[in-house]
Amino acid sequence: RLDASQVYRIFKKKTGLSPQQFITRMRMEKARRLILTYRSDNIKDIASQVAEASFILNPAAHLYHLM
């Protein structure tokens, strides 16, 4: 069984990012896509959608697919 520090090291080795950096990058990419796709949407609405998406993003699931 892997402990948290082992998962962190494996994740960082596989992605080149810490889990927090990975989540931030995914959120920024989603925000960028939403801004480009829905130019007329309110920035607050886009920020809300991106914040909701951060709960869905799971670095451990991403790590599983990399292994």
Side-chain angles (χ1 to χ4, degrees):
R1 185 157 169 96
L2 298 174
D3 66 24
S5 63
Q6 291 170 314
V7 171
Y8 179 91
R9 282 194 303 274
I10 293 168
F11 189 89
K12 177 105 175 172
K13 184 178 179 181
K14 296 286 186 176
T15 66
L17 302 168
S18 71
Q20 183 60 44
Q21 290 170 324
F22 176 81
I23 290 171
T24 300
R25 180 170 288 177
M26 293 291 106
R27 290 177 75 187
M28 295 302 288
E29 288 176 9
K30 180 175 177 72
R32 180 181 173 276
R33 284 192 308 272
L34 288 170
I35 290 168
L36 292 174
T37 303
Y38 305 105
R39 292 184 183 271
S40 63
D41 274 7
N42 184 323
I43 293 296
K44 287 182 182 179
D45 293 338
I46 290 173
S48 175
Q49 290 178 47
V50 171
E52 290 170 9
S54 70
F55 292 107
I56 297 167
L57 293 173
N58 183 341
H62 183 71
L63 177 62
Y64 175 78
H65 291 291
L66 291 173
M67 296 178 98

